[in-house]
Structures are given as structure tokens and as C-alpha cells.
Amino acid sequence: MTAEQVARSAREASNLLQTITSAQKSAVLRRIKQVLEERRDQIVEANRQDKEAAQKEVDAGRLSSALFKRLDIEGAGGEKYSTLLQGVDDVDRIPDPIGQVTMARKLDNELDLYRVVCPVGVCLVIFEARPEVVVNIACLAIKSGNAAILKGGKEATRTNQALAEAIQHAIATTPTQEGQTQFPERAVQVVSTRDEINSLLDMDRYVDLVIPRGSNSLVRHIQNNTRIPVLGHADGICSTYLDASADVKKAVHTVVDAKTHYPAACNATETLLVHSSVLDSVFVPVARALQQANVRIHADQRSLAAMDKAGIRDASLVSEATDADFGHEYTDMDIAVCVVDSLDEAIDHINAHGSKHTDAIITENAQNAQWFMRRVDAAGVYWNASTRFADGFRYGFGTEIGVSTNKTHARGPAGLEGLTIYKYYLFGNGQGAGDFGVGPGKHPFLHQDIPLDDTVRSKFVL
């Protein structure tokens, strides 16, 4: 199929999905999990082949180690694949948002207005490595009534194909009850070439939303080469600030977790800001713990001096920071350290150098925490918690379509709601707009809110 045929068939599938019931969506999701379990060995083997080929690219310097780490779908003892299967169940358990009423208003007698949740339509998802995205996005798209076109990185070609075939087989083999719309097999499609993507980025007639997941360069390329709305983020430059009243135990645990739990992730802390009053009492224990975890510290002069004074500076792990270290996404076991003299200076640093993703403050001062959380311009602002919590699964979204730093319909870790918008239903009885106003034969609007009880809220759910 050509790119245009793929896009057109996705639009046709999207139109059919508007009449698919919640029970049908649930049946398809259960079938997807079943087929993924049945084909586990086959999919894992495809992933191992991809990893073997990718390792050669890493050794040759043509593929980054961070990208390679994201390629694995199996995990230690199969844990990652089991989490993938659990994610399908989690999405299935989420209440179906489509058809839910979020606002109801009586404009006049027999003139009722409803704001109703509906799918975005056709979503084009482009990602690097992370083959589990195929399953994540497919399940969220099915649950939210969207059609999805997926393009993964060439480093995961075998895995992506095996997963896509499993999902398409599950859709095709899910029975349809009498009177139900047949679930469209083209609801989830996979494309494989860069040329197809370049063509699809021009097809705003068919594609409603582009979701890029990958490197800074990938996201920026897409943002600069399409008229279609883009949901995503180019950078994951997260900061953690150790305030003047930071608890040392909390500081050590949260900072080490934020940096080392998964350093290749976009929600890993890249910059550590330290109030000058806690250099000796809090920063030194944190720096010691980071070095014990083999984190490379790019420290400014004052933090270097504090490590030297305490005698904890490991020359193999510590270097002097440059301006380029602040505002840099390492996606590795590196962290930049900057000492500040006030809370406002820390906030200004984050707003100047961060990426509006996720930032944290470690403090025992509630007023400082609230000031930080109001003033920092980010999708997520945390108090005494690791930035690694910025994740759809951890937020209880089941899984996520990505993390958005946009100020549009979805921000932060975007789950099911990131694939929905709304439309207005108006039920009248022959009224015209000219019937309302001031003057002979006219009357004012009622504008009375209709209480959103369970009956009204689910009025249009199939």
C-alpha cells in the first residue's frame, strides 16, 4: 500500500470506530493479550535478533548505548515483557471515556447542549527503539476509538513487525456479535520506510495528530516538517533542587533514584541545583552516594570546592562543569551540579535551562515547596519525590502515549485522555438563533446547568 492508501484506510477505520461499543473494545484487548502470550517466544526471539544486530552498530559507533538500552522488550527474567502484558490489562480496566458527558446545559426549554468526549481520529506515532510502544499505543488507540499508524526505528524492525502481526491477528480473530459493527482490521497499521513518513506528514487531510517518541532531533524534525498538530517533547531536561531545609536522607534517596534508576529515560534528573547553605550538610552526602553509584558529576566551582573540602572528590568521576552542561540531556550516568543562593535563583535557572518536563524540590519548608511548584514552568513539579515518577504507568494511566511539554489538550505523561477531545451535541426542537435576544418576539437564554449524575454522564456511551 502507498502512504496515501494507508492514511485513507486509517481514516475509514477511524470513522467505523465511532460506533464500536465498549464491550467490543474490551474483547479486542483481551484477545491481544492472549495472542501476545501465545507468541511470546516468537516475539522475544525477534527482539534478540534485533539486539544482536544493534550491538554491532553500537560497537561500530553508529548507534548510541542509550538507544540500545531502550530496545530490549524482554527484561531480566522476562519482567519487562510481563509488564507489557499487564499494561494491556490495565488499559482494558480503564473506564471507556468515549461518549462521556463533561458538561450539560439547558439553553432553553427543549434546547439542551452536551459536551461529549470523542476520539481524536487518526494518530501517526513515530518512535525510535522502544518496541513496546507498538503495544502501548495500539491498546490506547483501540480503547479510545482512534486509528493508529505506527512507524518504529529500523533497529527494532523484527520486533515491531512481530508485535504488529500479533495485534492485527488478534483484531481479525475477535468474534463480532450480531448487530455489532465489524471491528476494522486497519485500525492499527505499521509503516516501515522514511519516505512513507515524509509523505504521511503532509497528509493533514487524513491524519489528525502526530506523536513522536525519540531523540531531540527526531522530534524537532517532525515539528518542523508538518502542519499536523504534534504531541510530544524534544528534550527531557529535568532538575532537582536541594533547598535550604532539605532533609539529607530524602535528598540522597530521591536524587540517586532520579539519576540512576533509568538514566536513559526522559524523566531522569540531569541537573542538580544546591542551595549554598547545605553544601556541606546535604550536598556532600548526595555527591558521595552518586559517586558510589558511578555517576559522573559535572560540578561548578563551589560544588567542586565542597567535595574537595570533604575529601570525597573522585577524579575519575568528577569534572568541572561548563556552560554547555546546563540545559544538556545526558540520557546517561551523568549529572550537572550548580550552586545557587536562593530559591528564586534555582527557579530562574530551571525556567531558563529546563525543557518544561519535570522538576523537583527537596525541602521541609512547605511554603518554599508551594512557591517552587507555582513558579516552575513544567508539566510536572514535585515535592520530595524523584522525577522518575513522571510516567503514565506510575500515574495510574495504564500506559502512556508519551510525555507532552506542549500547552495544548494534553500535558505531562499523557494516557488515554491524550487521545481524546470533545464535540458538542445540541438537541433542539426547531429553534433559531434569531429567537433569542432583546425585542419583540425574542426571549433570553436560560443557561441552566444540568447536573452531571451518572445517567447524564454516561448518556452517550455505547
Side-chain angles (χ1 to χ4, degrees):
M1 296 176 70
T2 66
E4 184 172 359
Q5 288 171 328
V6 168
R8 188 185 298 117
S9 63
R11 171 58 66 197
E12 292 168 356
S14 170
N15 293 338
L16 288 172
L17 286 167
Q18 307 298 312
T19 57
I20 295 295
T21 68
S22 296
Q24 284 179 274
K25 296 174 187 177
S26 186
V28 169
L29 290 172
R30 291 195 300 271
R31 180 63 179 143
I32 286 173
K33 182 185 178 186
Q34 182 182 17
V35 175
L36 289 173
E37 287 177 320
E38 292 169 353
R39 300 190 180 186
R40 182 173 189 151
D41 292 343
Q42 176 184 337
I43 293 167
V44 167
E45 177 56 33
N47 186 238
R48 287 172 180 167
Q49 292 176 19
D50 280 334
K51 287 187 292 184
E52 288 174 5
Q55 184 62 60
K56 295 176 183 177
E57 296 297 300
V58 173
D59 295 341
R62 293 188 292 266
L63 185 71
S64 71
S65 58
L67 206 61
F68 178 80
K69 291 174 184 175
R70 297 176 180 179
L71 181 59
D72 179 46
I73 200 172
E74 187 177 10
E79 179 183 1
K80 195 171 182 180
Y81 197 91
S82 296
T83 300
L84 176 72
L85 295 174
Q86 179 62 46
V88 180
D89 279 338
D90 291 341
V91 172
D92 187 23
R93 281 195 292 267
I94 298 173
D96 189 347
I98 304 305
Q100 294 282 346
V101 174
T102 60
M103 185 274 287
R105 184 163 295 152
K106 181 176 287 295
L107 305 187
D108 194 25
N109 292 324
E110 297 186 289
L111 189 62
D112 295 337
L113 178 71
Y114 299 89
R115 187 173 62 209
V116 182
V117 178
C118 65
V120 167
V122 176
C123 302
L124 171 61
V125 186
I126 306 165
F127 55 97
E128 296 173 327
R130 291 189 183 279
E132 67 270 20
V133 171
V134 173
V135 179
N136 294 346
I137 298 294
C139 291
L140 285 171
I142 288 166
K143 185 74 175 187
S144 57
N146 288 280
I149 304 171
L150 309 176
K151 167 64 172 74
K154 62 182 180 181
E155 64 280 347
T157 298
R158 299 173 185 84
T159 315
N160 292 339
Q161 190 61 39
L163 289 169
E165 288 175 357
I167 291 168
Q168 289 165 346
H169 176 74
I171 292 173
T173 57
T174 301
T176 300
Q177 303 299 319
E178 185 177 352
Q180 291 180 333
T181 301
Q182 178 70 40
F183 202 99
E185 293 184 26
R186 296 291 181 183
V188 178
Q189 300 179 81
V190 175
V191 295
S192 57
T193 70
R194 183 180 294 270
D195 288 341
E196 289 173 307
I197 288 301
N198 290 335
S199 296
L200 288 166
L201 290 175
D202 285 333
M203 294 185 187
D204 52 325
R205 176 182 176 185
Y206 299 116
V207 180
D208 299 296
L209 183 67
V210 182
I211 305 171
R213 296 187 60 172
S215 66
N216 181 309
S217 59
L218 170 71
V219 177
R220 293 202 183 279
H221 171 78
I222 291 167
Q223 290 172 332
N224 294 333
N225 287 277
T226 187
R227 296 184 299 273
I228 304 167
V230 177
L231 187 154
H233 68 283
D235 301 293
I237 304 167
C238 304
S239 298
T240 297
Y241 166 56
L242 305 182
D243 190 35
S245 65
D247 176 89
V248 64
K249 184 176 179 180
K250 293 176 185 177
V252 170
H253 185 67
T254 56
V255 172
V256 172
D257 179 90
K259 179 69 265 181
T260 68
H261 182 248
Y262 188 9
C266 62
N267 56 14
T269 286
E270 306 288 20
T271 300
L272 179 64
L273 298 168
V274 183
H275 194 281
S276 55
S277 66
V278 295
L279 273 170
D280 297 332
S281 59
V282 180
F283 169 67
V284 165
V286 169
R288 182 184 292 113
L290 287 170
Q291 290 177 90
Q292 289 171 347
N294 291 315
V295 175
R296 294 175 290 272
I297 300 175
H298 305 262
D300 69 357
Q301 291 186 353
R302 286 199 282 179
S303 55
L304 280 173
M307 285 188 281
D308 286 338
K309 177 183 174 183
I312 65 162
R313 179 177 176 179
D314 183 337
S316 67
L317 291 172
V318 179
S319 61
E320 186 171 352
T322 66
D323 290 342
D325 285 305
F326 302 105
H328 180 68
E329 185 178 17
Y330 295 106
T331 64
D332 209 340
M333 293 283 278
D334 294 81
I335 194 167
V337 180
C338 178
V339 180
V340 296
D341 294 312
S342 69
L343 170 61
D344 283 338
E345 186 181 348
I347 292 169
D348 289 343
H349 188 286
I350 291 171
N351 287 339
H353 298 281
S355 63
K356 306 182 189 300
H357 191 298
T358 305
D359 302 290
I361 181 173
I362 309 302
T363 185
E364 297 303 295
N365 186 314
Q367 184 175 351
N368 282 5
Q370 291 166 9
W371 183 254
F372 177 93
M373 296 170 88
R374 284 186 179 274
R375 282 206 56 215
V376 168
D377 184 12
V381 282
Y382 296 174
W383 177 13
N384 288 343
S386 166
T387 57
R388 283 283 292 135
F389 281 105
D391 175 83
F393 178 78
R394 296 185 180 98
Y395 279 11
F397 296 165
T399 186
E400 66 180 28
I401 59 173
V403 178
S404 173
T405 55
N406 301 341
K407 296 181 179 179
T408 54
H409 78 291
R411 196 177 188 206
L416 206 59
E417 81 290 343
L419 293 176
T420 64
I421 47 174
Y422 54 82
K423 63 173 70 172
Y424 288 98
Y425 289 12
L426 183 61
F427 295 85
N429 190 26
Q431 297 93 330
D435 301 336
F436 299 85
V438 178
K442 299 180 183 293
H443 60 279
F445 289 101
L446 291 178
H447 286 164
Q448 296 175 349
D449 286 342
I450 299 171
L452 289 179
D453 58 27
D454 290 342
T455 301
V456 173
R457 194 180 300 277
S458 59
K459 185 179 181 69
F460 306 108
V461 175
L462 295 178

